[in-house]
Amino acid sequence: MERTLIAKNVKSFYFSNNGKTLIYKLNNGYLYYLRVKGKKDPVLIDTEVTSLAGVKNNDSTIYYLKGSQLFKKVIGKDSVTSNAETIHSITDNGEIYYTKKTSSSLKASDYVIDDMMENDSAMTEPNAESFKKAQITGTYTYEVIDWEAYYNEYNLYSEKLLRDMLRDQLKDGIINIGSQTLYYYDGNKEIVISENVHQVEASAGSSLVFSSAVASDFNKVKLSELSSASDVESSLTSASVSLSYSLVIKNNTFNIEQKNARSFIFSDNGESLYFIDQYDSEESIGKLMKISIDKAVKSLSEIDSNVSNNIYLHKNNR
């Protein structure tokens, strides 16, 4: 068998199913396109390429990343660029779903219960003279200051002053909660789908499912349990919150009616979405649901109950 050296220092490559096209990236970031048959030389697509994102339209349309910029290159035409960080779906029509990392700002004081306000409002700085007591020595009686009782009271007052400082910090405190913004590129322009994306759950063609954290579900913390304003952020970022789920079809968004859903999966043709609803974590079962899709949500139906968390679909399912 004859072997032919095509390139050295290759980092990654894509070889088409029909065996006609080879696309490869070198260690130095150079991305090349090569028609395997014939004696044509490789075509340099671009330099400083981070990774190959997808190949469509009979291997003539190439998507790739340069840092956080997504490029679309049609062989023989100029490139089209857009900002992106994670690619979730690319269709043969040039539609793309992708996300960028963002953060949402929350006011720290909105997530704190001041359980010490009533107590602290009534507290004043202790006066040592108020802690005088009678001291008897032999036949003599005289007044002394009960310093132990005074310092016990003053320590409580000092803690109140620290809480007052904490209240002032919370008034101006801003908490940044990490999230993602989901975009849809229709082939010509970039469209924002959601600025509050917790995670992309599944995608197929022009359809995608994503989850969003319900901000109102963040549990509030008590002021008495805080040692610093940063404790609020730690509490929120580690909190377990409920999620809402949305189905996107092109640039249209539909809320998915569910309760504790999981395990979303599309059929190969993207015309059906399956998921487990009303999942019982103790029993590890739930209801298997199906959403039929045809440019919009056609119907929601229950397939079966007492279904485990795992869903498997056969190839070429409808």
Side-chain angles (χ1 to χ4, degrees), residues 48-51 64-71 81-87 98-101 183 190:
E48 299 181 357
V49 173
T50 306
S51 61
Y64 57 93
L65 287 166
K66 296 176 67 172
S68 62
Q69 284 192 309
L70 172 66
F71 286 79
T81 180
S82 179
N83 289 325
E85 287 183 351
T86 303
I87 311 299
Y98 54 91
T99 51
K100 304 176 190 177
K101 291 181 180 179
Y183 295 85
E190 180 181 82

Side-chain angles (χ1 to χ4, degrees), residues 23-142:
I23 300 170
Y24 57 93
K25 185 178 80 72
L26 304 184
N27 284 332
N28 60 8
Y30 281 49
L31 184 65
Y32 287 92
Y33 173 94
L34 175 66
R35 287 292 186 187
V36 176
K37 291 187 177 181
K39 295 183 179 181
K40 294 183 179 180
D41 294 328
V43 176
L44 177 62
I45 298 172
D46 208 339
T47 61
E48 299 181 357
V49 173
T50 306
S51 61
L52 182 66
V55 181
K56 299 290 180 180
N57 297 330
N58 294 320
D59 307 319
S60 65
T61 304
I62 302 164
Y63 298 88
Y64 57 93
L65 287 166
K66 296 176 67 172
S68 62
Q69 284 192 309
L70 172 66
F71 286 79
K72 171 188 174 183
K73 173 67 176 179
V74 179
I75 300 302
K77 296 183 180 180
D78 293 334
S79 296
V80 178
T81 180
S82 179
N83 289 325
E85 287 183 351
T86 303
I87 311 299
H88 297 284
S89 179
I90 302 176
T91 71
D92 289 334
N93 296 326
E95 301 164 290
I96 311 172
Y97 286 113
Y98 54 91
T99 51
K100 304 176 190 177
K101 291 181 180 179
T102 56
S103 63
S104 55
S105 298
L106 306 176
K107 192 175 180 180
S109 57
D110 290 342
Y111 296 90
V112 177
I113 300 173
D114 195 340
D115 58 328
M116 299 298 293
M117 176 59 75
E118 184 177 352
N119 177 78
D120 290 351
S121 297
M123 189 178 294
T124 58
E125 183 176 359
N127 185 340
E129 294 296 318
S130 302
F131 290 84
K132 288 182 177 180
K133 66 177 182 179
Q135 179 76 39
I136 301 175
T137 302
T139 58
Y140 294 97
T141 301
Y142 52 93

